[in-house]
């Protein structure tokens, strides 16, 4: 796969941008049905490029990473909707088979998730202006409804802009890596991702556990996974 | 005037957008006012002054888990209908903020969402198509999501001022305390299956036993020291493609 073989029609690009808008809205503004989770958004990205399996593999890795960032209280967390779509689409567009492309897609998706988090912060500041002055809005409930809806649409616009800005560059960069075959460092690169997944799962497990007493369950779970593999069920 | 069933449905459906105008000043306050409007318009029909006063009250700072905000919206609507004095309503809002956030965060974000996502990933890794795996996750998750929103709204309207007391030890909290072992079990199983899928995709000669051993130790250390473990995970995620690229360049 090279740049010359890469194809992205205007219709697909537009669909991705519109999808980015919906996914951007879902996480916080409306309707919070969790299509913004990387598991879904990356699969949608892969599906847009004709390879949902590749998209879902990226989404699964990003999801395990995202699990350790529950939006408790004022915690910061990555905006995984548009980011997942871009990452899943990039890996799928690159052919969905090269290891280097998978590693880069996941890293780019994670980075874009945090860029998205910054835009969420900016949008919240903007909402302060949109939803004021309070007295004026209270006096005219119709205006309150209108401004609230504008704020939701702006969140959608934020997601759409993220996809519009990053989809093509990300696809180009990931496709460039496809030609880079495995080297002596290849095994360390894969091991690095695997260990990263394990560390992320451990940290995520702790955030959902009620105290430290749940650690043996991680081992039991891993043992169950091992049994499924040895039993040929994967 | 008493709100109609259609007003309740409109208010409930607006709770799906309760965080739409979330900001650092009022947090979800303006969203609560937006969701309450169908009820307030009916309760204060023909009395614009009292409607304005109640909207102003509703817009004040508030926070809580977005799904359980349906409970706050319904309970506040009930208090407005029962003509409870504004000072009591303000105290009630303040008292409700903590429990609504804690219970919702622990049960929904902490348990239900991860469990559903892990079930979806596991289905995929065990051979289900991406479409079925994603659909399974979305259906499973949203059955719980919509049930919680409906329960919250109905309970809020029925209980009014008593909602705070009902939240203490509510089924949602008890349920969260029961489901967490399943969550951790699934996290362990899915991570191992996913790591195996990644290694298989790589088609490189790796030492699977050594990788498994280091992975298990890494997961346990991250469980004990989650902040450091999380940082290490991010560093490893960034290093992985860099190693691949550098290796490819130097040959």
């Amino acid at each position: 796969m090279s740049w010359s073989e890469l194809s992205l029609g205007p219709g697909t690009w537009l669909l991705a941008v519109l999808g980015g808008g919906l996914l951007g809205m879902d996480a916080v503004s409306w309707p919070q049905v969790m299509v913004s989770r990387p598991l879904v958004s990356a699969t949608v990205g892969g599906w847009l490029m004709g390879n949902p399996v590749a998209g879902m593999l990226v989404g699964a890795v990003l999801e395990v990473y995202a699990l350790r960032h529950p939006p408790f209280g004022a915690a910061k967390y990555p905006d995984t909707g548009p980011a997942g779509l871009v990452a899943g689409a990039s890996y799928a567009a690159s052919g969905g088979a090269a290891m280097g492309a998978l590693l880069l897609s996941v890293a780019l998706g994670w980075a874009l998730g945090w860029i998205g988090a910054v835009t969420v912060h900016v949008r919240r500041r903007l909402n302060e202006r949109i939803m004021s002055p309070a007295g004026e809005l209270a006096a005219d409930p119709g205006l309150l409804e209108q401004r609230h809806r504008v704020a939701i649409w702006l969140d959608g616009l934020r997601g759409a802009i993220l996809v519009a800005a990053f989809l093509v560059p990300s696809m180009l960069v990931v496709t460039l890596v496809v030609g880079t075959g495995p080297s002596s460092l290849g095994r360390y690169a894969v091991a690095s991702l695997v260990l990263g997944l394990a560390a992320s799962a451990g940290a995520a497990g702790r955030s959902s556990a009620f105290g430290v007493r749940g650690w043996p369950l991680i081992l039991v779970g891993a043992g169950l996974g091992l049994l499924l593999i040895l039993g040929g069920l994967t | 005037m008493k709100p109609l069933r259609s007003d309740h449905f409109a208010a409930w459906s607006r709770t799906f957008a309760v965080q739409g105008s979330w900001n650092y000043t009022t947090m979800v306050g303006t969203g609560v006012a937006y969701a309450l409007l169908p009820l307030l318009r009916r309760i204060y029909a023909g009395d614009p002054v009292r409607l304005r006063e109640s909207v102003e009250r509703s817009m004040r700072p508030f926070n809580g888990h977005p799904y359980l905000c349906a409970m706050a919206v319904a309970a506040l609507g009930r208090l407005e209908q029962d003509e409870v004095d504004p000072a009591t309503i303000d105290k009630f809002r303040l008292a409700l903020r903590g429990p609504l956030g804690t219970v919702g965060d622990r049960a929904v974000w902490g348990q239900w969402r991860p469990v559903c996502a892990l079930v979806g990933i596991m289905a995929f890794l065990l051979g289900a198509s991406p479409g079925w795996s994603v659909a399974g996750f979305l259906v499973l998750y949203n059955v719980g999501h919509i049930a919680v929103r409906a329960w919250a709204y109905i309970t809020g309207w029925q209980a009014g001022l008593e909602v705070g007391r009902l939240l203490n030890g509510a089924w949602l909290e008890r349920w969260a305390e029961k489901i967490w072992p399943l969550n951790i079990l699934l996290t362990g199983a899915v991570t191992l299956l996913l790591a195996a899928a990644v290694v298989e995709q790589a088609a490189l000669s790796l030492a699977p036993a050594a990788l498994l051993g280091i992975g298990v130790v890494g997961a346990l250390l991250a469980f004990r020291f989650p902040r450091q473990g999380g940082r290490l995970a991010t560093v490893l995620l960034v290093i992985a493609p860099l190693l691949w690229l550098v290796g490819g360049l130097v040959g």
Side-chain angles (χ1 to χ4, degrees):
Chain A
M1 170 70 77
S2 65
W3 280 1
S4 57
E5 294 169 77
L6 201 58
S7 83
L8 176 68
T12 309
W13 182 83
L14 192 63
L15 261 179
V17 170
L18 290 174
L22 183 65
L23 299 172
M25 260 197 270
D26 177 68
V28 173
S29 294
W30 178 87
Q32 295 198 301
V33 292
M34 294 307 131
V35 288
S36 51
R37 293 304 295 178
L39 172 67
V40 182
S41 60
T43 307
V44 169
W47 172 77
L48 282 170
M49 298 300 149
N51 193 345
V53 173
M56 185 139 190
L57 185 59
V58 171
V61 175
L62 285 174
E63 186 69 53
V64 170
Y65 264 84
L67 284 179
R68 69 186 165 89
H69 289 286
F72 292 165
K76 287 180 182 157
Y77 52 90
D79 179 29
T80 53
L85 188 146
V86 168
S90 300
Y91 183 52
S94 73
M99 194 60 209
L102 175 67
L103 298 174
L104 191 59
S105 299
V106 170
L108 285 174
W110 194 242
L112 184 53
W114 286 105
I115 291 172
V118 174
T119 66
V120 168
H121 170 72
V122 171
R123 181 190 151 257
R124 287 173 169 180
R125 287 272 177 233
L126 188 61
N127 281 348
E128 284 174 347
R129 293 186 182 195
I130 293 170
M131 301 312 287
S132 61
E136 200 177 303
L137 297 178
D140 182 359
L143 186 63
L144 167 71
E145 290 174 313
Q146 193 185 20
R147 297 270 184 92
H148 185 82
R149 286 175 188 141
V150 165
I152 294 172
W153 281 112
L154 280 177
D155 200 19
L157 184 64
R158 184 191 60 78
I161 289 172
L162 279 172
V163 172
F166 288 98
L167 180 61
V168 172
S170 175
M171 282 171 65
L172 290 172
V173 171
V174 170
T175 306
L176 189 66
V177 179
V178 174
T180 323
S183 67
S184 55
L185 292 178
R187 67 179 65 183
Y188 298 107
V190 177
S192 180
L193 180 67
V194 168
L195 290 182
L197 276 171
S200 198
R206 177 64 182 275
S207 73
S208 57
F210 284 59
V212 291
R213 61 207 156 104
W215 68 266
L217 288 166
I218 286 234
L219 289 182
V220 176
L224 185 70
L226 195 61
L227 281 177
L228 288 169
I229 293 170
L230 295 175
L233 289 169
T234 57
Chain B
M1 208 186 281
K2 274 190 175 177
L4 306 175
R5 189 169 285 189
S6 59
D7 300 325
H8 282 300
F9 183 74
W12 178 75
S13 59
R14 282 182 180 210
T15 66
F16 283 78
V18 77
Q19 288 196 138
S21 55
W22 203 102
N23 60 78
Y24 295 107
T25 307
T26 61
M27 291 165 283
V28 82
T30 48
V32 167
Y34 171 79
L36 256 172
L37 268 172
L39 301 179
L40 297 180
R41 281 199 174 108
R42 184 72 62 189
I43 293 166
Y44 297 113
D47 190 346
V49 175
R50 290 185 70 192
L51 174 65
R52 185 180 57 76
E53 287 169 357
S54 69
V55 173
E56 203 165 17
R57 272 197 296 279
S58 309
M59 283 172 62
R60 286 175 193 162
F62 188 73
N63 212 7
H65 188 275
Y67 297 0
L68 293 188
C69 275
M71 185 176 272
V73 167
L76 288 168
R78 181 62 186 264
L79 300 194
E80 295 285 351
Q81 185 199 259
D82 294 347
E83 299 187 2
V84 172
D85 77 283
T88 307
I89 293 181
D90 271 348
K91 278 184 196 162
F92 174 74
R93 285 170 68 95
L94 205 61
L96 209 54
R97 277 168 63 164
L100 279 189
T102 312
V103 173
D105 282 355
R106 280 166 67 142
V108 181
W109 297 154
Q111 305 301 336
W112 184 239
R113 190 170 72 177
V115 164
C116 294
L118 291 166
V119 167
I121 297 175
M122 186 168 251
F124 171 66
L125 294 171
L126 291 179
S129 71
W132 280 112
S133 307
V134 165
F137 159 64
L138 289 175
V139 169
L140 183 65
Y141 178 80
N142 284 299
V143 165
H145 163 200
I146 289 168
V148 166
R149 273 196 205 264
W151 165 79
Y153 190 91
I154 293 166
T155 307
W157 184 259
Q158 286 173 346
L161 271 175
E162 298 300 307
V163 146
R165 192 178 52 78
L166 285 179
L167 260 179
N168 231 342
W171 67 269
L172 207 54
E173 200 166 15
R174 292 198 306 274
W175 175 85
E177 283 171 13
K178 281 182 185 159
I179 203 175
W180 71 264
L182 174 68
N183 189 355
I184 300 182
L185 200 79
L186 279 172
T187 303
V190 164
T191 305
L192 193 106
L193 291 173
L194 185 57
V198 167
V199 168
E200 192 183 332
Q201 177 102 341
L204 288 169
S205 57
L206 292 151
L211 206 52
L212 177 67
I214 298 170
V216 166
V217 171
L220 291 178
L221 283 173
F223 190 91
R224 179 66 185 85
F225 306 102
R227 189 174 292 179
Q228 292 84 347
R231 284 187 192 142
L232 175 69
T234 303
V235 169
L236 290 167
L237 183 70
V238 174
I239 284 177
L242 290 178
L243 278 174
W244 189 276
L245 285 170
V246 170
L249 289 174
V250 298

